[in-house]
Amino acid sequence: MLWAVLGTGVAFAQNFTTFTVLRGMLGAVEMGGFLANYCLVCEWFDTRQRAWAGNAIYLVWAVGVMSLPGIAYFVRDWRHLELIISVPLLLFIFSFWLLPESPHWLLTHNKAEEAEELLRRAATVSRLKLPPFKLKLPSSEYEEKDEKTSAWKQNMIGVIFTPYLRVYAVILMLVWGIDSMVYYGLSLGTHTLAGNQYLNFFISGAVEFPAYLTCMYCLNSQRFGRTKPTSLLHVIAGVSLLFITVIPQDGST
């Protein structure tokens, strides 16, 4: 809902300051909504299927990237384009009633009965028969006797003050930040390439399909794990970017 409201507000912005503020807020809302959606999808799937489910979201993202230049080709006014891609998001108001909550979230917030009911409904939709069951929080082997210590270890503060988690978090945040700069730098810079700018942007979305499918295969393969694909694919991306810097800008060979 906020995404739709802010996007509509951007279309009616009358000065650069208002435009910048609304776009900044829109970016924060967009990423927050996307991550919440990603977590919701992954928590509804078994651990063996989460890699497929998580990457399936990105495939839909690629479809959106490929669709945008087609819309922009026929709608050249940026305000009208902003309205076209923002107003339909108002339909997400129905997600409050249509999207089920995450059973994992419900269980960790002491709402086991609601989680059980959702699982029964999911089984009914999937035409599966569940045996009688009762959900309960498993006792953690890391649970501290001191309740205060246990409480802070369950949030972000616990990540900061736990050495090995802090190292992993810093590394992954650095990687995510670099990935974002590279991804949006390449995507938003397609207009500088030779040829049709709309076709270039379309191709930038189309190439994401083999990338996501490769990730899905690697993440589900017992041979690769998680660390090797992450390291190898980042090295390949880095080397490719270095080669781009030696390409003559005038197109000469």
Side-chain angles (χ1 to χ4, degrees):
M1 289 298 298
L2 287 175
W3 194 341
V5 172
L6 291 173
T8 303
V10 168
F12 292 99
Q14 298 300 315
N15 54 70
F16 185 72
T17 301
T18 304
F19 175 87
T20 304
V21 171
L22 290 177
R23 284 293 299 180
M25 296 173 63
L26 181 60
V29 169
E30 174 189 353
M31 185 52 63
F34 182 83
L35 292 178
N37 183 41
Y38 179 84
C39 292
L40 179 61
V41 169
C42 289
E43 290 177 359
W44 263 105
F45 282 83
D46 183 80
T47 54
R48 295 168 297 178
Q49 301 170 328
R50 286 177 184 171
W52 292 98
N55 280 278
I57 298 178
Y58 289 100
L59 290 174
V60 179
W61 168 278
V63 172
V65 174
M66 296 166 60
S67 302
L68 183 59
I71 300 173
Y73 181 82
F74 294 101
V75 183
R76 300 300 177 95
D77 186 279
W78 71 269
R79 294 182 186 273
H80 295 162
L81 178 63
E82 188 71 38
L83 287 173
I84 289 174
I85 63 178
S86 298
V87 173
L89 294 174
L90 291 172
L91 295 175
F92 273 87
I93 191 174
F94 297 106
S95 64
F96 286 105
W97 300 277
L98 297 178
L99 284 180
E101 185 54 83
S102 164
H104 177 80
W105 183 89
L106 291 172
L107 186 60
T108 55
H109 286 76
N110 298 318
K111 298 181 179 181
E113 293 183 359
E114 295 182 36
E116 293 169 5
E117 179 60 27
L118 283 178
L119 291 176
R120 293 189 183 96
R121 287 168 51 189
T124 300
V125 173
S126 301
R127 298 181 180 179
L128 298 175
K129 186 176 181 180
L130 288 180
F133 67 95
K134 195 73 174 178
L135 294 177
K136 62 179 182 178
L137 279 173
S139 57
S140 174
E141 59 181 303
Y142 302 104
E143 184 178 359
E144 300 290 336
K145 294 182 179 180
D146 185 351
E147 293 183 0
K148 293 183 179 180
T149 303
S150 179
W152 69 258
K153 281 198 170 186
Q154 296 178 16
N155 53 41
M156 192 60 189
I157 298 178
V159 174
I160 296 175
F161 287 96
T162 305
Y164 73 96
L165 288 179
R166 181 172 62 246
V167 172
Y168 292 161
V170 170
I171 293 175
L172 292 176
M173 285 189 289
L174 179 62
V175 169
W176 186 255
I178 294 174
D179 288 347
S180 298
M181 288 189 291
V182 172
Y183 176 84
Y184 288 105
L186 293 175
S187 299
L188 301 180
T190 54
H191 68 282
T192 63
L193 301 175
N196 187 284
Q197 60 178 340
Y198 300 98
L199 179 60
N200 291 340
F201 197 87
F202 173 85
I203 295 175
S204 74
V207 298
E208 295 186 29
F209 271 91
Y212 296 142
L213 293 175
T214 301
C215 289
M216 294 168 74
Y217 171 76
C218 291
L219 292 175
N220 283 277
S221 174
Q222 297 181 355
R223 295 183 298 173
F224 299 107
R226 300 292 188 267
T227 305
K228 291 179 181 178
T230 300
S231 302
L232 179 60
L233 294 176
H234 277 86
V235 169
I236 294 175
V239 172
S240 301
L241 292 172
L242 288 176
F243 275 111
I244 292 178
T245 61
V246 301
I247 297 178
Q249 296 186 4
D250 58 1
S252 60
T253 56

